[in-house]
Amino acid sequence: MQEQKSHFLQLALDCVDREYPNKISHVLQSDSDARTPRDMHPAFYGCYDWHSAVHGHWLIVRLLRDGLDADADGAATAALDAHLTAEAIAGEIAYFDGEGTASFERPYGLAWLLQLGLELREWDDPRAARWSEALAPLEQVVADRYRSWLPNLAYPIRIGTHNQSAFGFALALDWARAAGDAELETLLVETSLRFHLEDRACPISYEPSGEDFLSPCLMEADLMRRILDQAAFADWLTGFLPDIPLDGSADWLEPGIVLDPSDGKLVHLDGVNLSRAWNLEAIAFALPSSDPRRHSLLAASARHLEVGLASVTGDDYAGGHWLASFATYAVTGRAVESPR
């Protein structure tokens, strides 16, 4: 496990300061808006894109909190000290305040920013306290983006990539509960129930599509187990995924296949295996211990995790800049720790 953690950490450290190649999500209003990633995003300019830089920082915090050897601890601390400063975060806020940024990184990158804040808030360590203090103003900007977005969102976004609403809601809800933001928690819960309480027979046999890194069906269930009590969730899941086996089998849900890991879109399927693994585990543990579906859910989770972890090699930057974050979320049990 220590070797695995060291590998994941090194992948993150290798990219948080790597400015190029970089895929920016940026609206130009004039010639003066043609800026470098580091100029626009002094904290989160690495890892190919903003959201990957954010969850790369989350990975570093998560593994620091979990315990590292002295050398790795020092390298991780130095990286976070360099990026999570009041000055750098002020630069990020300045970008958010600019014209044309209302939908910037919504909801995926915003969700990961709140996840980073959550990890720091939960960790009782002087380093976490100073990084959390620096990040807090940006957390509030992001929380306000959710507050302004949700009342205008008429429909859920049921896709397997960045714009999926269930993933964005789930991580934001975890943060709202930990931060004591009752207003945002209520808004997320009410919107989730409006969107999903009556959902039935999710077509999981249609998954994955060719660029998924999130399962639309399983991520929705992972959201709803955060909202419904155990008995209500068990009943809801019966209608939503009626064909979960009762025999403990794992082959009812096949892992995604990647034929070209150098293709930045196709390699998403390595990520869907890892996110499915944490979805399936969290769904299983949300059910009563006597529920016979737990065994098949956990068996499918283990199968997806095995396949997913084998892909986290770092051999190609297309997957190397982000898959370790998904792997860390899965193997450290982050999903099952979600506040209720």
Side-chain angles (χ1 to χ4, degrees):
M1 181 62 179
Q2 189 62 45
E3 181 178 350
Q4 185 181 70
K5 287 166 56 177
S6 297
H7 175 57
F8 295 162
L9 177 66
Q10 194 58 54
L11 287 175
L13 292 175
D14 285 346
C15 79
V16 292
D17 285 315
R18 181 173 173 176
E19 188 172 6
Y20 299 105
N22 201 300
K23 182 180 180 181
I24 59 174
S25 177
H26 179 54
V27 177
L28 296 172
Q29 304 292 343
S30 67
D31 287 356
S32 64
D33 284 332
R35 301 159 60 192
T36 66
R38 189 187 296 257
D39 182 43
M40 292 186 289
H41 301 296
F44 305 119
Y45 57 81
C47 289
Y48 188 67
D49 48 38
W50 192 86
H51 54 258
S52 298
V54 171
H55 63 62
H57 285 74
W58 169 81
L59 181 161
I60 296 169
V61 172
R62 180 69 176 175
L63 294 185
L64 261 177
R65 185 181 171 195
D66 201 43
L68 297 169
D69 63 44
D71 288 344
D73 187 286
T77 299
L80 295 172
D81 274 340
H83 288 250
L84 299 184
T85 66
E87 181 180 9
I89 298 303
E92 296 286 348
I93 292 172
Y95 183 84
F96 273 79
D97 287 343
E99 185 178 358
T101 66
S103 63
F104 175 71
E105 289 285 354
R106 188 184 74 196
Y108 183 74
L110 304 186
W112 275 113
L113 189 285
L114 295 180
Q115 183 66 43
L116 172 59
L118 168 64
E119 203 71 46
L120 292 170
R121 286 168 179 269
E122 289 182 341
W123 186 21
D124 184 16
D125 184 280
R127 294 169 294 178
R130 68 173 180 264
W131 298 325
S132 183
E133 182 179 5
L135 188 67
L138 183 55
E139 289 178 84
Q140 292 306 314
V141 170
V142 168
D144 287 342
R145 290 291 169 97
Y146 271 91
R147 272 187 272 272
S148 62
W149 176 49
L150 292 179
N152 296 320
L153 185 65
Y155 310 101
I157 306 170
R158 304 178 189 272
I159 62 175
T161 52
H162 306 85
N163 290 338
Q164 186 193 102
S165 54
F167 176 84
F169 285 17
L171 268 61
L173 183 58
D174 290 349
W175 177 87
R177 287 171 169 165
D181 190 329
E183 178 189 3
L184 182 56
E185 178 184 1
T186 298
L187 186 56
L188 286 161
V189 168
E190 290 178 349
T191 306
S192 298
L193 291 173
R194 174 166 57 89
F195 284 169
H196 301 305
L197 187 60
E198 302 303 322
D199 285 354
R200 298 292 183 269
C202 194
I204 197 166
S205 63
Y206 289 4
E207 298 182 21
S209 60
E211 296 181 357
D212 281 358
F213 58 86
L214 300 168
S215 162
C217 290
L218 293 179
M219 195 64 241
E220 180 178 332
D222 199 3
L223 168 64
M224 293 301 284
R225 60 96 186 168
R226 289 166 160 90
I227 292 170
L228 302 174
D229 66 33
Q230 188 178 71
F233 175 69
D235 288 343
W236 179 87
L237 189 66
T238 298
F240 184 68
L241 291 173
D243 297 325
I244 298 173
L246 307 180
D247 59 1
S249 59
D251 60 359
W252 59 278
L253 190 63
E254 291 294 322
I257 298 170
V258 175
L259 300 180
D260 181 3
S262 69
D263 186 301
K265 296 289 190 178
L266 299 180
V267 78
H268 280 179
L269 275 298
D270 284 330
V272 86
N273 293 328
L274 293 164
S275 63
R276 276 180 169 183
W278 85 59
N279 290 156
L280 290 160
E281 180 184 38
I283 293 164
F285 282 114
L287 295 172
S289 59
S290 59
D291 193 308
R293 293 172 291 185
R294 285 170 56 109
H295 302 294
S296 289
L297 287 164
L298 291 172
S301 174
R303 185 181 184 208
H304 278 76
L305 184 62
E306 181 181 11
V307 174
L309 289 176
S311 71
V312 192
T313 63
D315 291 343
D316 194 284
Y317 197 53
H321 75 275
W322 68 279
L323 284 172
S325 295
F326 273 47
T328 299
Y329 196 93
V331 301
T332 64
R334 177 67 253 189
V336 298
E337 294 177 11
S338 302
R340 287 187 65 112

